[in-house]
Amino acid sequence: MRSAPRLVAAIGTAMATAGTLHAAFNIRRLKPLPSTPTTVPQRVSILLPLRDEATRVTPTLRAVLDQRGLPNAEILVLDDGSSDGTADVVRAVAGDDPRLTLVDGGPQPPPPGWLGKPWACARLADLATGDVLVFVDADVVLEPHAIAATVDALRDNGLQLLSPYPRLVAVSPAERLVQPLVVWSWLTTLPLGPTERSRRPSLAAANGQLLAVDAAAYRAVGGHAAVRGEVLEDIALLRAFKRAGFRGVPTVGSAVASCRMYDGPRDVYDGYTKSLWSAFGSRAGAAAVVAALGLAYVAPAVVAVTSRDRVARTVGAVGYAAGVAGRVLVARRTGERAWPDALAHPLSVTAFGLLTAASWRRRARGTLTWKGRRLG
């Protein structure tokens, strides 16, 4: 009977250790963003889709207006049928700034087959005149050199898509439990070298909160029309780029942007369950990922606490420590909180599994919604 806990602990510990070593290797391979402001002479279009964001868009818009090193920039803001006075807030913040154009999206819903976010982004892109398009979400606050640094990195690395992940601000216990997994997950599991070169759809990570694309490449792949029905349109867009032979990668953008994605446990639940069902291709794919993460990051801790076998407990403790170490490595690179949050890593992974299961249940029941619109 002792062999089973030992085997589980050994396998999980090996997986957790490999994941942490891989994260450390990936951190060294990240495409860095310039640390000092640069000047970008080319035309840059900053695109900001908004729907009912009156309470949170002010710091975002002020930061966009304060961008440096962009002498030839335009700012296009779409009010996508907001009912909370979002457009009035935009006008008050922007004043008479000639760079900004506020587009009235009207009350009509997206056309059949389109989801709201891709539709809003496509409408903005159709109006954009820049050589580079930079999509920014309403909850992202940029540093003054953020856009210039992102465009500079896009061009210097010969990329057509660059996705700097903002530093995620987590306040409530639910946010602190789940949010750190966003960057940790792809730094731990995604081989960045092959990801940049490969066209395989499974090797893709992107974040629409801050996303820069070469305009010509974007239009060549069909833009957001190519991902019109995708809940995770950012990842789908990168996959479209890769299929067309273009290059795109994620990177850590914590030095240039921050974002509080969700405000409290209800937002965390709604936000993740709306999209996790689509993250792994199928129920079987989701189950396999959740099981693998559980084996690597939950099982060793459980064995360490519950087993009567001293060897199994010791091995499990090593696996638990390896998982915590991986979280700390990533947190230090992203500027997010490391302690004591990393100690709860098994609980974080468990929460992720529960959210994935809940997402599939909501999908099956047809109860997925976001911003007042149904998702499929």
Side-chain angles (χ1 to χ4, degrees):
M1 292 296 292
R2 288 185 175 183
S3 60
R6 289 186 185 184
L7 180 61
V8 169
I11 294 173
T13 296
M15 293 171 67
T17 302
T20 296
L21 293 174
H22 188 247
F25 180 73
N26 270 343
I27 287 172
R28 297 175 62 88
R29 291 187 60 91
L30 287 169
K31 300 291 185 186
L33 299 181
S35 58
T36 56
T38 60
T39 298
V40 177
Q42 59 197 291
R43 182 73 162 168
V44 176
S45 298
I46 305 173
L47 311 179
L48 183 62
L50 303 176
R51 179 172 168 82
D52 292 334
E53 301 287 2
T55 61
R56 63 195 313 178
V57 72
T58 294
T60 298
L61 189 55
R62 284 177 176 164
V64 168
L65 293 168
D66 288 343
Q67 289 300 292
R68 301 172 187 166
L70 301 173
N72 192 17
E74 65 176 354
I75 303 166
L76 302 178
V77 180
L78 175 70
D79 177 29
D80 184 17
S82 299
S83 58
D84 66 346
T86 292
D88 294 333
V89 175
V90 172
R91 294 187 189 98
V93 174
D96 58 357
D97 194 311
R99 297 170 300 168
L100 187 143
T101 300
L102 176 61
V103 181
D104 182 2
Q108 67 272 20
W114 286 81
L115 293 182
K117 177 73 177 289
W119 175 235
C121 290
R123 297 169 84 180
L124 287 170
D126 284 345
L127 299 172
T129 61
D131 302 305
V132 177
L133 312 181
V134 182
F135 298 91
V136 181
D137 275 2
D139 49 10
V140 173
V141 179
L142 303 172
E143 295 298 319
H145 66 289
I147 301 295
T150 299
V151 175
D152 201 29
L154 179 83
R155 293 309 195 200
D156 283 353
N157 290 289
L159 301 170
Q160 288 74 50
L161 184 152
L162 182 62
S163 176
Y165 277 64
R167 177 178 61 86
L168 293 182
V169 177
V171 179
S172 69
E175 296 167 70
R176 291 173 62 179
L177 189 66
V178 177
Q179 293 297 80
L181 297 182
V182 173
V183 177
W184 171 87
S185 61
W186 62 263
L187 276 175
T188 299
T189 63
L190 201 65
L192 291 186
T195 293
E196 184 176 340
R197 300 185 297 269
S198 174
R199 297 189 182 187
R200 292 182 60 186
S202 59
L203 295 179
N207 187 347
Q209 293 169 341
L210 177 57
L211 187 70
V213 298
D214 175 85
Y218 172 84
R219 295 189 172 98
V221 304
H224 278 84
V227 298
R228 67 190 69 184
E230 298 288 344
V231 175
L232 296 174
E233 86 294 333
D234 39 19
I235 297 175
L237 187 64
L238 174 56
R239 289 170 176 166
F241 270 66
K242 290 161 71 72
R243 285 193 297 269
F246 296 120
R247 297 171 62 227
V249 293
T251 192
V252 171
S254 54
V256 301
S258 62
C259 173
R260 187 178 182 186
M261 287 175 62
Y262 304 123
D263 184 3
R266 185 74 240 182
D267 270 5
V268 169
Y269 179 83
D270 289 342
Y272 280 101
T273 58
K274 83 175 189 298
S275 58
L276 278 177
W277 67 270
S278 67
F280 308 109
S282 65
R283 286 179 182 269
V289 169
V290 169
L293 291 175
L295 178 59
Y297 298 106
V298 179
V302 172
V303 171
V305 171
T306 63
S307 179
R308 297 180 180 180
D309 182 345
R310 186 180 64 177
V311 173
R313 290 199 307 271
T314 301
V315 174
V318 171
Y320 166 68
V324 170
R327 275 281 298 273
V328 172
L329 277 176
V330 174
R332 287 180 173 173
R333 179 61 181 84
T334 61
E336 297 173 8
R337 183 186 287 108
W339 303 105
D341 299 38
L343 297 174
H345 190 52
L347 296 178
S348 296
V349 173
T350 300
F352 169 80
L354 293 173
L355 287 170
T356 301
S359 181
W360 276 103
R361 284 197 303 271
R362 293 187 65 189
R363 168 70 172 172
R365 295 170 181 171
T367 60
L368 294 172
T369 61
W370 191 246
K371 299 288 184 181
R373 289 170 173 165
R374 292 192 62 179
L375 301 176

